[in-house]
Amino acid sequence: MLLFLRKIILFSLPLSLLFVFPALVVYFGREYVSASDVVEIQKKFPKTLMSFAYNPTSFVPYKIALVQDKNPTIVALGTSRVFQIRKEFFIDPDSFANAGGAGRSLDDITYFVQQLPSDTKVKVIILGLDNETLFEKFESKHFRVEEPFAVRSFDMIALTSRRMYLDYLAHKFNLSQLRHASASTTNVGLVALINGDGFRPDGSYKYTQSESNQRLQEDVQADIQKTVKELQVKSLQSEDPRYKELATNMQKLSVVLDMCKKRGITVIGFTPPYPKAIYNSMIDKGGFEKDLLVTVPLQLQTLFSEHGDQFFDLSLVDTFKGNEHEFVDAVHGSDVMYLRMMIYMASNSSTLKGLVDVEHLKKMLANTQGAFLPF
Amino acid sequence: MLFNSLSFAVFFPTVFIAYYLVPSRFKNVLLLIASCFFYMMFVPKYILILFALITADFYLAQALEKREGLQRKLFLAVSVVANLGTLIFFRYFNFLNENIALLAHVIHWNYSPLLLSIALPLGLSFHVFQSLSYVIEVYRKKYVSEKNYLTYALYVMFFPQLVAGPIERPQHLLPQLNTVHTFDASLARRGLERMLWGFFKKLVIADQLAQIINPLYANLPQESLTLIAIAILFSYQLYCDFSGYSDIAIGSAMMLGYSLSENFNRPYASRSVGEFWRRWHMSLSNWLRDYLYYPLALGFGKVSKGRLYISLFVTFVLIGLWHGANWTFAVFGAMQGIYLIVGSVTEKARKKLHAVLRLEKVQTLHHFFQTLVVFCLISLSFIFFRSETVEKAWWFITTMVSSFHSGFGVRALLSTLTAHTGNIVFYIVILSIILMEVFQYMQETKKTFYFLDARPRALRYGWYYLLASFILMFGYFGAQSFIYFQF
C-alpha cells in the first residue's frame, strides 16, 4: 500500500504546478491582505484604493473595521448603491465613513448596528434601501466574519484558481502588468491594481475605469436595455414570494429603527434611483415591481415617520433633478448623481442641514463637468 | 457528507488507510463507524431511524425464515409496513394531506390538513429499498438471513452507497462483507480511476451545467431554441450528476476491495425507451421489475396484455413518485409508462414499416434516428422531472413548441446560455460532454470501463492528467449537492 500511496503523491506533484500561477496572482495582487490591514494601509497611504478580485472576504469585515477605526458621526449604509457618497459632501469630511456593501440585507444592517461599540460617536446613518435589501433573502451570515489567513489563501489558490486562469486568458490582466502596478502603487487587490477601481479610505468607491471609458454611455444603454428585457419576462408564479419577504424585512427594518433610536442615532433612509427606462418598465410590469416604486415608498415613509426619522424616495431621477447620463451602469449612479441627491436631501432635512453645506455642494456641482467628481 | 466536499477529501483517504492497517476482525467495525460518521454529517438524529429499521429488519428476517405459511407472510408484511410506512410518513405525508385538502375543497368538505415541518432523512428511499430487498429475498428463500447484526447493519449503511445507491441485493453485497479484503494495488488504482471519472462528470459537467440551467429555470426564457437547449442540457446535467455519484461510489468501494453494482450504461445511446430503462438507474429499475412489476403482471390470476400494460404503467408511475412527492414526478413516470405501452402496441407495425422501407440498408442512419427520438422523448419527460410544478412544465413545453415560428437566434441563444458562467466555461462543458460520450462509446465497444489498461502507460497517464486538470481548473467547487440525494 505504501508503494501505491507513493505513486499517488508522485502523480499529484505535476498537478500542483497548476497552482503556482494562482499563488503568484494572490501575492502580487495583494489579495491576501486582511480587512484590518487594508484600513491600516489606507491610513498610512491615503491614496490607496482597495478592491479584491479573488479574496473571499466580503465588504462587511472591511467596512466594520473601517467604521470601528474612524469612529465617525455620519455613516452611509446599504448596498453598492450607497458607495458613491463621499466624505467631501460633508462639512467635516473626517466625520464620515461609507459602509456601503455592509448593509446588503436587513440582517446585515441589524448586525452592523449591533457591532457599533457602546461609546460610538455615530449620530446619523444614511441608509440606502435597495430593492434587493427589501425583498431578497440573503444567507449572508457567513460573509460577516473574515476567514483566517490560511483558509483565505487556500480558498483563493485552490478554489478560485480557475477564475484566475480564465481572467488571464480573457486578457483581463497579466503578471508583468500586475507586478508593475504592485511596485508603483499601494493599492490592494487585483481590481484596484489593474483597473484603478476600489474603495477610498473613506469607504466610498472610485469608478476609475468608468471615468475613462469613452463608450460609457453606449455600455450603460446596453446594460439598461438588457435589464428592461429581463423585466419583460413574465413570471410563472401565481403568488409572488417576494411579498412575504418584503413583509418580514419591513418588520426587521422597524426593529433596526427602534434599535437606532434607543442609541440616539438618527436614520435618514432613501431609495436609490433607477434610469427612467427601467423605472417605466417596472411600472409597466405591474405587480411587485410596480409596488416597489409606488406603495413600498409610502410604507417606508410611514415607518420612518413613526420612528421620528426621515425618508426620501429617490427612485425617480426627476425628484432630485438628476441627469440620465450620470449612470455608470443600469443601477448605479455616478458620484455626481449622488451629489445631486445629497443636495436635495440636505435641503429637505433638518438633520443633514447641520452636517452638509448645501451652498458649497451646489458650487461643487457647478464646477464639475461630466458625470464624475475630480477627487 | 458530500463526495464533492473538502470533508470527504480528508475522510476517505483516512478511512482507506485505516481500513488496510487495522486487523481483519475490526475492518467491518471500522467501516460501520465510518459509515455512521458519514451519515451523521448531514442530520445526526436521523441515524436513529436508520438503526430502528436495521434492527427491525434484521430480527424480522430471522423470524420469518423459521416460519412457513401465514406467519411467514405476516412477518414479511410487518417489515414491508415498517419500511414503507417510514418512507411514506417522511416523504408523502404532506403531499397526501395537501391533495386530500384539495379534493376536500372541490367537494366542499371542511378539511384542514395537518402539515408536518420535517426534513426527509437523507437517502431514505435508497436504504428502505435495499432493506426490503434483503427481507424479500429471505422470504423467497433465495438468501439465508444474516446472523451477524454488525454485518447486516453495514449492508444497509455501507457509506459509498448509503445515500444514493446503487441499491444492492443481499446476494451481491452481503457475501463481500463476510470476506476479508486485503490490499490489491490494481483494484485500488481502478477504483481511483473510477472516482476520478465520477468527479469529472459531477464537477466539470453536472455542477457547471447547474450554474447555467438553474438561473434559467428560475426565470424561463421564451425563445423556443433556448428552451430546447435547456431541456437537452438538463438531460446531461441529470445523467452526469447521478452517474457521476455512482462512479464515485463504485470507485471508493472498489478501493476498499468491494464491488458495487453498475447503475448506468450509456443510457442516451438507447434505441428504445425500454432499452433506456435497462441502461438508466439499473439498480432501481431492476428492483421495481423484480419486486413490483413481475408480481403485478405475472403473480396471480390470468396474464393478459391489458394487465401487463396496466402493471407497466403503475410501475412507472411509482418509479416517478419514488423520486419525490410531487405530481411532476408522477407525470414523469406516467410518460415513461405511456412511451413503453405505445412502443409495445406499435411494435409490429414499426417492424413492417422497417421492412417496407428497407431500413436495414441504411442501418447506421436508422439507429441514429432511433437514438435521437429516444433522447428527445426522455428529455421531454425530464422537463417534468426538473420543473417545480406541472403548470410550469406544461408552460415550458407549450412555449417551446408555440414560439418555434419566431426563428432561431443562435447568437441570442449563446448569450443566454453563457450569461452566468461566461463563454469559456460553457465551451469547456460542451467539450467535456463530447469527451465523455467518446470515452463511453469506447468503453462500450471494448466492453470494459478499463479499456485504457491495454493501452501504453503514457496514454493512460495522459488521460488521468487531462481529467485531473479539467477537475481542478474547470470543476465547480461551490456547495452543489447531488440531485439524487433528495430521493
Side-chain angles (χ1 to χ4, degrees), chain A residues 140-157:
Chain A
S140 49
K141 230 182 237 173
H142 57 283
F143 291 126
R144 291 180 196 150
V145 181
E146 190 172 48
E147 296 284 4
F149 171 77
V151 178
R152 285 201 320 270
S153 305
F154 176 80
D155 276 1
M156 280 187 281
I157 295 170

Side-chain angles (χ1 to χ4, degrees), chain B residues 41 85 103 106 195 215 244 287 291 329 367 430 434 440 443 470:
Chain B
M41 288 285 279
L103 195 68
V106 173
M195 286 176 83
W287 196 100
Y291 302 126
F329 292 116
H367 285 179
I430 300 300
I434 295 169
Q440 291 187 151
Q443 284 174 332
F470 263 55

